[in-house]
Amino acid sequence: MTYQFPEAEPYRIKVVEPMKMTTRSQRERILKDAHYNIFNVRAEDVYVDLLTDSGTSAMSQDQWAGIMIGDESYAGCRNWFHLQETIQDITGHKYVVPTHQGRPAENILTMIHIRPGLSALSNMFFDSTHAHVETKGGIPRDCIIDEGLDGESDHPFKGNVEIDKLEEHIKRVGREQVALILVTVTCNNNGGQPVSMANLHAVRAVADKYGLPFFLDAARFAENAFFIKLREPGYADKSLKEIAREMFSYVDGCTMSSKKDGLVNIGGFLTLNDEAKFRQAQQYLILMEGFVTYGGMAGRDLEALARGLKEVLDESYMANRVRQVRYLGNQMLDAGVPVFKPIGGHCVLLDMKRFLPHIPQDEFPCEAFCAELYLDSGTRAIGLGQLAFGGVDNETGEVIYAPLEVVRMAIPRRVYTDNHMDVVARSVIRIYERRDSMRGVKITWQPEALRHFTAHLAPL
Ligand code: F0G
């Protein structure tokens, strides 16, 4: 049975945010002033901003109403109890630790579990989690299935963990040398690809066999639940809440960046089932974020999040969300543009190795494309390739190549209309048609670390 997607949004617009319209010649000047690096462009000079789906959602009238009943008491505000109950109800987990976004939750989780030399295993760690494992001396290891890295594979659950690889690693280093398993749902690094329920169940079995703690990075848990409903036998008639609850039942806790599936602009949390770890987490929270009943959030933020977590599990919302991401991706696929398949939950990935095969990786095809896209339509996307993940070996001077060269177009939740998606798709298709005339870019200045954020570039 094929899923009946809605034809249009299950909401109407009450408040509008005007956008600045720029001309191509204005954008040429803006881009030049930004040293051809799209991160240096002011957001108000961007038309459709697809840099990230994180913290960019539009809140509902119910969430804005919740903002007005924020209780800003230091300890024990009512909004905290509402949020705690909501999270316990969705996850079934016992203890909740509120944080100001996802990474402090990752910091606390890794402070509790990671010791120097210990491995941490995942399908794919998101960058910030990867860094939190490493800064505690741990060794992050990705165990994603091979199909997960193949942009042309149609596997329905390309976020799945390769169970043999996971177990083989535990056996090789020894159970005592593994700190934890953490699975990212959906898997952001390969374009929001889902993890199946069967796979989560299988990871749990491995965790139990070796007595290891197992957590979810739940930033996009609701989008993952929807893909399970669409694609995994036995789930078509279950509600997103029931599916999410089952996903969470296999783990000992989760980290959450509420800036994604929390439908809010800031916020996060950590859940745990183990009381001793929870007490430890609370101590770290007080030290780094704030008191145990607000963490890094204001009372009003807690309320908006409690309401957002309920809305994100509303199937009419979610079906339209996934419909819109596909609507953008399919227009490009139909025109022959090399898009990573299948289209994921929150973004469309363009494969620059196939889009601009004549531009070598060390001439940064992603950044050349992002600059061209901005000039063409004022759209902002992000390059995840050589500039972000490649570099030069300090000792040998040889170029280290990034495995993927992709541009990510992440779609904010409830923010843009399909007309905006049409603008973006047409712009990408126009650029694809004239791709042979495009040139790469070179670096004219770069910082020592994380160069993609601030590097200066120039067209070749
Ligand atoms: N986990 C995942 C899967 C993420 O995608 C992110 C953030 C985080 C954790 C960290 O959460 O930003 O609230 O501290 N991803 C954003 C992105 C930045 O653009 O994909 P945070």
Side-chain angles (χ1 to χ4, degrees):
M1 199 187 70
T2 50
Y3 188 82
Q4 210 50 48
F5 279 92
E7 282 184 55
E9 290 75 8
Y11 48 82
R12 55 187 177 181
I13 297 166
K14 181 162 7 214
V15 177
V16 296
E17 180 182 355
M19 297 194 277
K20 188 159 102 186
M21 309 296 282
T22 53
T23 62
R24 184 171 173 115
S25 65
Q26 285 171 325
R27 291 194 293 274
E28 278 167 3
R29 187 186 43 73
I30 291 165
L31 196 62
K32 196 158 173 261
D33 291 346
H35 300 281
Y36 293 89
N37 186 340
I38 205 76
F39 273 108
N40 296 332
V41 173
R42 288 177 181 226
E44 62 183 13
D45 290 332
V46 173
Y47 183 51
V48 182
D49 200 347
L50 306 185
L51 195 65
T52 182
D53 65 320
S54 180
T56 51
S57 300
M59 293 204 295
S60 66
Q61 59 178 6
D62 195 40
Q63 287 177 292
W64 280 109
I67 292 275
M68 291 308 296
I69 56 159
D71 167 359
E72 305 305 340
S73 307
Y74 190 92
C77 75
R78 64 170 168 264
N79 315 104
W80 158 247
F81 296 102
H82 182 200
L83 177 63
Q84 179 180 243
E85 277 160 28
T86 305
I87 295 170
Q88 286 168 335
D89 183 40
I90 293 170
T91 63
H93 298 162
K94 278 193 199 139
Y95 304 110
V96 183
V97 180
T99 59
H100 82 274
Q101 58 183 79
R103 60 201 79 179
E106 295 156 14
N107 191 23
I108 293 172
L109 185 77
T110 51
M111 282 172 85
I112 294 171
H113 290 91
I114 307 285
R115 298 289 169 269
L118 297 190
S119 293
L121 309 175
S122 182
N123 48 350
M124 285 177 104
F125 282 105
F126 178 70
D127 317 17
S128 56
T129 326
H130 195 275
H132 277 303
V133 170
E134 278 190 334
T135 51
K136 276 115 207 150
I139 307 162
R141 289 252 183 270
D142 290 348
C143 303
I144 188 133
I145 55 169
D146 292 340
E147 291 90 333
L149 298 178
D150 171 2
E152 291 184 82
S153 157
D154 270 324
H155 192 292
F157 291 103
K158 287 169 80 170
N160 278 359
V161 174
E162 178 69 61
I163 299 297
D164 291 345
K165 228 189 265 179
L166 182 77
E167 194 164 2
E168 190 257 328
H169 187 86
I170 300 169
K171 282 188 186 150
R172 185 154 42 82
V173 301
R175 181 257 163 268
E176 301 304 324
Q177 291 303 309
V178 181
L180 58 81
I181 304 171
L182 181 142
V183 171
T184 311
V185 293
T186 58
C187 184
N188 184 11
N189 297 33
N190 65 353
Q193 298 295 337
V195 178
S196 72
M197 196 71 89
N199 194 249
L200 292 176
H201 190 260
V203 174
R204 179 76 254 174
V206 174
D208 284 344
K209 184 168 165 191
Y210 295 94
L212 292 171
F214 172 23
F215 298 94
L216 286 186
D217 174 339
R220 299 178 181 86
F221 76 97
E223 288 169 5
N224 199 88
F226 185 66
F227 282 115
I228 289 175
K229 182 179 175 88
L230 285 190
R231 298 181 184 166
E232 195 159 349
Y235 290 92
D237 296 327
K238 294 213 158 114
S239 70
L240 295 185
K241 188 173 165 194
E242 285 170 312
I243 298 172
R245 178 87 183 212
E246 185 180 340
M247 287 163 53
F248 285 113
S249 75
Y250 297 123
V251 293
D252 303 298
C254 73
T255 57
M256 175 74 185
S257 166
S258 309
K259 299 172 75 174
K260 287 83 171 171
D261 274 349
L263 293 177
V264 288
N265 307 111
I266 194 73
F269 56 85
L270 171 69
T271 65
L272 292 160
N273 276 333
D274 183 294
E275 190 181 344
K277 287 179 186 172
F278 169 61
R279 297 290 167 218
Q280 206 182 344
Q282 284 191 319
Q283 297 310 304
Y284 290 136
L285 187 78
I286 292 172
L287 196 62
M288 300 185 299
E289 290 278 289
F291 187 62
V292 298
T293 60
Y294 72 85
M297 286 181 276
R300 53 180 173 267
D301 297 336
L302 300 169
E303 187 62 34
L305 175 54
R307 295 175 183 217
L309 286 169
K310 292 176 190 164
E311 289 177 14
V312 81
L313 291 168
D314 173 347
E315 195 172 318
S316 66
Y317 155 76
M318 183 57 75
N320 184 62
R321 158 78 177 155
V322 170
R323 179 203 62 76
Q324 191 181 47
V325 177
R326 287 182 183 197
Y327 176 76
L328 174 64
N330 282 334
Q331 287 191 60
M332 298 190 263
L333 269 178
D334 290 347
V337 176
V339 170
F340 264 66
K341 290 192 294 185
I343 292 157
H346 67 289
C347 65
V348 176
L349 291 185
L350 302 178
D351 183 0
M352 286 297 133
K353 285 187 180 170
R354 286 185 283 148
F355 196 115
L356 296 171
H358 61 288
I359 302 183
Q361 263 189 294
D362 42 14
E363 292 177 7
F364 309 110
C366 285
E367 285 64 35
F369 173 84
C370 287
E372 189 67 20
L373 183 67
Y374 177 70
L375 286 180
D376 190 83
S377 58
T379 302
R380 176 154 70 173
I382 183 175
L384 300 170
Q386 188 62 12
L387 191 68
F389 302 119
V392 176
D393 189 312
N394 283 339
E395 280 165 26
T396 65
E398 272 175 45
V399 178
I400 304 162
Y401 288 100
L404 291 178
E405 195 67 31
V406 295
V407 165
R408 184 183 82 167
M409 304 174 127
I411 316 217
R413 295 168 180 80
R414 301 193 289 212
V415 171
Y416 293 112
T417 67
D418 288 358
N419 286 330
H420 294 116
M421 297 300 108
D422 291 344
V423 168
V424 174
R426 281 198 297 264
S427 178
V428 172
I429 293 164
R430 271 197 302 275
I431 296 171
Y432 188 63
E433 283 163 0
R434 60 170 190 262
R435 64 191 179 280
D436 293 340
S437 66
M438 281 178 62
R439 298 275 164 273
V441 296
K442 64 176 180 193
I443 298 176
T444 56
W445 173 82
Q446 60 178 318
E448 272 179 26
L450 296 170
R451 61 182 182 174
H452 58 296
F453 293 118
T454 55
H456 294 179
L457 308 169
L460 280 168

